[in-house]
Amino acid sequence: METLLYFLNTFRPSLILRRTRSGFFWAYGNQIAFLRWFYYIKILRKLNFDVNRNTTLGVSYSREQFGKFTPLARIYNPIFAMMCIPTELNKRLLILGPRYENEIYIARSLGFDLKSISTLDTFSYSPLVDIGDMHEMNFPDNEFSYLLCSWTLSYSANPKQAAKEMMRVTSAGGLIAISVEKVSEIQMLNGVPGILKGSERIQTRAQLQELFVDCEIKIILEPIATGMLICILQKKIPN
């Protein structure tokens, strides 16, 4: 009887459809994103932006990057790490800086419905991405259970304010995924295009703990010298 129930539960049409859709977005997310990028950038030549130069660095550098489609696998790792944490949170997700829409399709492959995903970027050609400033987000308090900020914090001239806004829009118990590139001391002195240099650059556990004071670190992958830093934080639940 248990075997029969398991079989019936596993092969429900709705479950099969959901798994098929998730597999489709996982397998073809980059291809879909490329076709959409080609249509909007190369054919329509569409690019909207509304950048606050007081808070966002590397404006010219960032804008130039839209001329070529370069999705990077590294953007997937933070959301994978975040989804490894078992929770009973509702699936309301905010993605900051989804340049080529890839994060959106990966999120859909992981079970997020498109209606439950909100996005924000300073530049966008995509109708799926809203234009705005992560330092002053037009979202209510405690709106999202999940927040993905992949390779975006390095573009902030005011990371303290950016972190404050991220914590504001994340609900108690919600998860925040942060990833940045940890660079060498020489690179920090010379600067990397479009991002902070020197001691101001956010790229260590200690700096993230200082920024996200209302959060607890659940997962931290920090390279010793250079490489990708991934940090999953959980917003504390008030006593």
Side-chain angles (χ1 to χ4, degrees):
M1 185 64 179
E2 290 182 2
T3 302
L4 177 60
L5 291 174
Y6 175 80
F7 178 85
L8 294 174
N9 183 62
T10 301
F11 291 95
R12 292 198 317 269
S14 60
L15 184 59
I16 293 174
L17 180 62
R18 187 163 64 247
R19 287 176 174 172
T20 301
R21 184 181 66 174
S22 295
F24 177 81
F25 286 124
W26 166 248
Y28 299 107
N30 278 346
Q31 290 85 342
I32 297 169
F34 170 77
L35 292 174
R36 288 172 60 85
W37 167 84
F38 188 86
Y39 174 70
Y40 284 111
I41 291 292
K42 297 300 184 180
I43 297 178
L44 296 185
R45 298 188 178 278
K46 175 183 177 183
L47 182 60
N48 300 320
F49 62 98
D50 182 14
V51 181
N52 183 344
R53 293 177 182 269
N54 294 321
T55 56
T56 303
L57 298 171
V59 173
S60 299
Y61 168 80
S62 296
R63 189 175 183 180
E64 290 170 0
Q65 297 308 299
F66 283 98
K68 53 186 178 180
F69 184 76
T70 53
L72 301 173
R74 65 190 186 190
I75 65 176
Y76 304 148
N77 296 327
I79 193 170
F80 290 156
M82 181 168 62
M83 298 310 295
C84 287
I85 300 176
T87 69
E88 297 182 358
L89 300 170
N90 63 60
K91 288 201 170 182
R92 287 284 290 124
L93 168 67
L94 173 61
I95 306 174
L96 299 177
R99 174 170 290 166
Y100 300 112
E101 303 180 327
N102 303 82
E103 295 99 321
I104 300 172
Y105 293 111
I106 292 300
R108 296 192 69 182
S109 76
L110 294 173
F112 288 93
D113 186 84
L114 186 60
K115 293 181 180 179
S116 71
I117 301 172
S118 295
T119 56
L120 196 67
D121 206 328
T122 51
F123 294 86
S124 179
Y125 55 82
S126 168
L128 299 179
V129 179
D130 292 330
I131 302 297
D133 187 348
M134 69 177 178
H135 302 84
E136 191 176 355
M137 293 189 272
N138 190 25
F139 297 117
D141 295 355
N142 309 308
E143 177 74 3
F144 302 100
S145 302
Y146 299 89
L147 189 149
L148 175 63
C149 180
S150 180
W151 302 85
T152 301
L153 196 57
S154 297
Y155 289 89
S156 172
N158 190 348
K160 186 175 182 179
Q161 176 61 24
K164 182 179 178 181
E165 274 291 273
M166 290 183 218
M167 289 185 289
R168 180 185 67 80
V169 301
T170 302
S171 60
L175 299 173
I176 300 174
I178 304 289
S179 64
V180 297
E181 181 182 5
K182 188 170 184 178
V183 301
S184 67
E185 292 184 5
I186 294 176
Q187 287 176 298
M188 289 175 65
L189 290 173
N190 296 333
V192 181
I195 55 181
L196 287 170
K197 62 181 180 179
S199 60
E200 296 175 321
R201 178 173 173 77
I202 304 301
Q203 62 172 27
T204 67
R205 175 183 185 138
Q207 288 173 311
L208 289 173
Q209 283 184 313
E210 186 177 347
L211 286 177
F212 293 89
V213 292
D214 293 335
C215 297
E216 175 188 0
I217 292 179
K218 305 297 289 185
I219 296 175
I220 181 74
L221 301 172
E222 181 180 359
I224 296 175
T226 63
M228 184 192 310
L229 181 148
I230 298 174
C231 184
I232 312 301
L233 306 115
Q234 185 169 40
K235 185 176 177 180
K236 297 174 184 177
I237 299 175
N239 296 328

